[in-house]
Amino acid sequence: MEGPRCTLALLLSLLLPLGPAWHAAAQRCPQTCVCDNSRRYVSCRHQNITEVPKAIPELTQRLDLQGNMLKVIPPAAFQDLPYLTQLDLRHCQVETVAEGAFRGLGRLLHLNLASNRLSVLPQEALDGLRSLRQLELEGNMLEELRPGMFGALGALATLNLARNALVYLPAMAFQGLVRARWLQLSHNMLSVLAPEALAGLPALRRLSLHHNELQALPGPALSQARGLARLELGHNPFTYVGEEDELVLPGLRELMLDHGALQVLDPRAFAHCPRLHTLDLRGNQLDALPSLQGPGQLRRLRLQGNPLWCGCQAQPLLKWLAQARVHLDGTCRGPRHLRGEALDALRPSDLRCPADAAEEQEERLAAVRLRTPSGAPEEKDGAARPCPRACWCASASRHSNCESRGLQAVPRSFPSDTQLLDLRRNHFPSVPRAAFTGLGHLVSLHLQHCGIAELEAGALVGLGSLIYLYLSDNQLSGLTAAAVEGAPRLGYLYLERNRFLQVPGAALRALPGLFSLHLQDNAVAHLAPGDLTGVQALRWLYLSGNRITQVSRGAVGPALELEKLHLDRNQLREVPTGALEGLPALLELQLSGNPLRALRDAAFQPVGQTLQHLFLNGSGLEQVSPGAFWGLGLRLQSLHLQKNQLQTLPALPDLSRLELVDLSGNPFRCDCRLLPLHRWLTRLNLRVGATCATPPSARGQRVKAAAAVFETCPGWTARKAKRMQVPRLGAWRTAMKGRRRGAGKVGHGMWGGFWASRVLTSLGSHSFHSKSGQ
């Protein structure tokens, strides 16, 4: 027993001196705080402190600092509190979180940074939080999320980013959140989700995107989160949802599309959501609903607040609802004899088909012209809300619509809280100064197909909240800085199919927050230095379908944040390599449909560190230099070379990250010059679509599989012999195993020994030749 006694005495001698130290640590407490040592809880709420207190007990598990004036969270601000599990920093006026601010908090489970002033989070601001389960960032001013921002939060289950200023979600925005189950993005200004924005979220079950500015259902992006069970998309300005939106969510149970602007729903809109149980369509503009195909488990359909027309055409709907046993709530807006009737109380026979169909149609159109989607909206004081006579104004969604009303001038007197104004398909040759007075809350303005030739100076004055401006399909040939000066927050400018001969550089300089510029299908011939000066925030530049023959060096360089550059369907005769310099963030380059003919060495080297998607299809390519794609191996994921004139193509072994290669539609000549490509394709586990055009004996065969064509090529025999070495080694192993197992059986042992000796002899010979050749 001497050994254990000595060990116990040693432990006691080490631990007993620490007892008073632990006690002292528990007793200390900052003067401005309240410490509950029994619960290991410290509260320093609303004490106007400007930095993290220093004398907090080391064993503290819950720390409440909300309502102070910290402003900055410095590096390692809580490193002396390794046992912390809950940290509350709400309403602390925090503007900056330094890199490594929370390092040392490996046990932290809940972090609340809501209701602060954060506009950006550094890449490593959240490092060290390996156990974090809940992160609250609601009510800040975050404008963008950079991929990798949450990469260190592998245990996170809930992320709340509601009520920020997000307008765009980039690809892999939430990379690393492999256990996240609920992502809250409501009450932002999101209008675009990159197709892979939600990739890397295998555990996600609930996604909240309500109260945003999504103009169309972002099906490809949403379908990345295939495990979703609940999807909240209400209060977005959708007008249509169809199968072409590509919503594929096999596990989805609840879909909320309430209080939007839905006017049409395609019968197969949810065909790829077979388990959908509840569909919420309240407060939209649906006057008819088709029989939905696909969601065989649908049991609840919510339609209150829609101007449903219960005429003859609704009979198939009622029959489908009865057969599918769907519980429905909603009332009829017309015809007159059914106004106010509950839809689920009607039978198909109740919906009469009148003898005079034209009379019913006229009544229906009259109801459409006069209706306001939420009944008779009123101001808080009871007065009727203003709305131009030819338009309808929806109070619930804050949308005003005057589409296709034959208007000759911009109407006045819209509700002051209007957020979306649709004036499409009218006719006003010019937009005068102060045309939208009193619309300071307007976020989205639609002026497509209006014959507009000019925006006068001050046309957008007072539109301080405007983010989306649609001027597509008009007669504009220019745009001045004075015309757009009233919209400093404009992020998305749509100028497709106008008459621009050059990029309106002066106007762009007046838009420092411009995120996406659409100039497709104009007549721009040259992209010159200075055209993009001052557009530091520009991410997407679309110049497809112009007449561009040259992109000068430095023309695109000012757009340091540019991620997408579309120059397809122009007249470029070579890759504008020099113009690609100074684009450190470029992810996607579209050059398809240009008469390129050939690619020279290092054509894309300036963007080799970042480029992920390269489009060169339909470019008349006849020749590709062996070094054309030099430098792209680190990041390139997709390469599009289809529908060119390539008869041969060098192997591309350096492009090791490729996930998609398209070589279809090229007239490949399957001779010995193509042997390197054949070898590369046989090692590539991708379908590339490359087929032989010649010789006639191989026409139509896949280049990857046309081994017989290349058997006569120099080097083929050596490669074949090298491949045969692997079976020999396998045969030797099999023979030796059989020899050991069948040692007691004369026949088996004899033949096993025979084949083993043959294989060993062969291997020995090969080994000798290999050594002699070194």
Side-chain angles (χ1 to χ4, degrees), residues 29 120 131 134 272 330 335 357 382 394 425 542 547 579 602 611:
C29 186
V120 66
S131 301
Q134 182 174 352
H272 305 290
R425 300 185 185 279
Y542 298 94
R547 303 172 185 173
L611 197 66

Side-chain angles (χ1 to χ4, degrees), residues 14-297:
L14 292 172
L15 292 173
L16 285 174
L18 293 176
W22 282 355
H23 183 70
Q27 291 298 318
R28 67 179 183 177
C29 186
Q31 292 183 355
T32 56
C33 305
V34 176
C35 300
D36 185 340
N37 296 325
S38 64
R39 296 193 300 162
R40 297 186 181 181
Y41 170 66
V42 175
S43 175
C44 312
R45 301 176 63 173
H46 304 291
Q47 297 297 319
N48 294 326
I49 57 179
T50 58
E51 60 181 18
V52 178
K54 298 296 183 184
I56 298 174
E58 181 183 5
L59 301 180
T60 299
Q61 291 184 346
R62 293 187 297 148
L63 176 59
D64 189 346
L65 292 170
Q66 63 175 299
N68 286 289
M69 303 172 63
L70 299 180
K71 293 192 175 181
V72 177
I73 309 297
F78 305 94
Q79 64 179 351
D80 296 329
L81 302 172
Y83 300 98
L84 212 58
T85 60
Q86 297 183 32
L87 177 57
D88 196 336
L89 294 166
R90 283 176 290 175
H91 299 284
C92 283
Q93 303 180 35
V94 177
E95 299 174 357
T96 304
V97 176
E99 292 187 359
F102 304 108
R103 283 184 185 145
L105 298 184
R107 293 181 173 87
L108 195 68
L109 300 176
H110 305 278
L111 174 59
N112 199 329
L113 281 162
S115 302
N116 281 291
R117 299 176 180 175
L118 292 169
S119 59
V120 66
L121 274 177
Q123 195 77 2
E124 300 179 4
L126 302 172
D127 278 9
L129 300 175
R130 62 178 180 272
S131 301
L132 196 68
R133 297 277 297 166
Q134 182 174 352
L135 176 58
E136 298 286 338
L137 289 165
E138 181 179 4
N140 280 278
M141 298 184 290
L142 294 171
E143 296 180 356
E144 64 176 335
L145 302 179
R146 291 190 174 274
M149 181 183 292
F150 307 107
L153 307 181
L156 197 70
T158 301
L159 174 59
N160 189 351
L161 287 160
R163 300 184 187 278
N164 278 276
L166 300 172
V167 297
Y168 164 66
L169 289 184
M172 305 303 292
F174 306 102
Q175 186 176 14
L177 300 184
V178 294
R179 296 183 183 176
R181 296 183 66 83
W182 185 10
L183 177 58
Q184 300 180 64
L185 291 161
S186 58
H187 293 277
N188 279 280
M189 293 181 287
L190 289 168
S191 68
V192 178
L193 276 61
E196 296 181 347
L198 301 173
L201 292 168
L204 195 66
R205 296 296 177 265
R206 181 177 178 182
L207 176 60
S208 303
L209 280 165
H210 53 90
H211 291 89
N212 276 285
E213 290 297 326
L214 294 167
Q215 309 282 316
L217 189 75
L222 297 173
S223 300
Q224 292 286 328
R226 297 184 70 83
L228 274 180
R230 180 182 174 94
L231 176 57
E232 300 161 7
L233 286 165
H235 296 271
N236 279 284
F238 302 141
T239 58
Y240 170 80
V241 177
E243 187 177 16
E244 58 268 34
D245 290 319
E246 302 179 39
L247 185 66
V248 182
L249 292 172
L252 190 66
R253 300 289 289 167
E254 298 177 83
L255 176 57
M256 313 301 164
L257 290 168
D258 55 295
H259 297 96
L262 268 179
Q263 298 174 14
V264 180
L265 195 64
D266 184 79
R268 294 185 55 80
F270 312 114
H272 305 290
C273 303
R275 299 188 62 202
L276 187 62
H277 179 276
T278 300
L279 178 58
D280 190 345
L281 296 168
R282 291 172 299 157
N284 280 286
Q285 300 302 308
L286 294 167
D287 60 2
L289 190 72
S291 303
L292 297 178
Q293 303 171 19
Q297 298 185 21

Side-chain angles (χ1 to χ4, degrees), residues 285-474:
Q285 300 302 308
L286 294 167
D287 60 2
L289 190 72
S291 303
L292 297 178
Q293 303 171 19
Q297 298 185 21
L298 190 66
R299 292 297 176 266
R300 188 172 188 194
L301 183 58
R302 308 191 68 185
L303 288 168
Q304 304 105 312
N306 283 279
L308 296 169
W309 190 262
C310 300
C312 181
Q313 297 86 347
Q315 286 184 350
L317 172 64
L318 291 187
K319 291 178 182 178
W320 168 71
L321 291 171
Q323 292 171 357
R325 297 181 181 178
V326 177
H327 175 69
L328 173 73
D329 47 30
T331 57
C332 300
R333 179 63 62 89
R336 293 187 189 92
H337 69 283
L338 291 177
R339 186 171 298 162
E341 291 288 334
L343 196 59
D344 62 349
L346 298 177
R347 295 170 298 178
S349 58
D350 296 328
L351 309 183
R352 300 196 305 265
C353 295
D356 189 355
E359 181 181 346
E360 180 184 1
Q361 182 68 10
E362 179 59 31
E363 182 185 351
R364 185 175 182 180
L365 291 175
V368 170
R369 286 194 295 268
L370 295 175
R371 75 177 185 243
T372 55
S374 56
E378 296 183 349
E379 299 287 6
K380 293 180 180 179
D381 60 2
R385 287 164 56 87
C387 188
R389 185 171 183 176
C391 311
W392 59 257
C393 305
S395 60
S397 60
R398 299 180 182 179
H399 295 172
S400 296
N401 191 311
C402 310
E403 181 183 356
S404 302
R405 299 306 169 107
L407 300 173
Q408 302 294 314
V410 177
R412 305 277 180 166
S413 301
F414 289 100
S416 59
D417 62 352
T418 298
Q419 292 186 348
L420 184 147
L421 176 56
D422 191 345
L423 292 165
R424 286 176 292 175
R425 300 185 185 279
N426 287 288
H427 185 73
F428 5 92
S430 68
V431 179
R433 176 179 176 80
F436 307 99
T437 301
L439 296 179
H441 298 285
L442 194 65
V443 173
S444 184
L445 176 57
H446 294 255
L447 292 166
Q448 305 99 304
H449 294 280
C450 285
I452 299 171
E454 180 187 14
L455 256 68
E456 296 180 6
L460 305 181
V461 69
L463 299 184
S465 299
L466 191 67
I467 295 176
Y468 311 96
L469 177 58
Y470 296 86
L471 286 163
S472 316
D473 298 285
N474 281 293

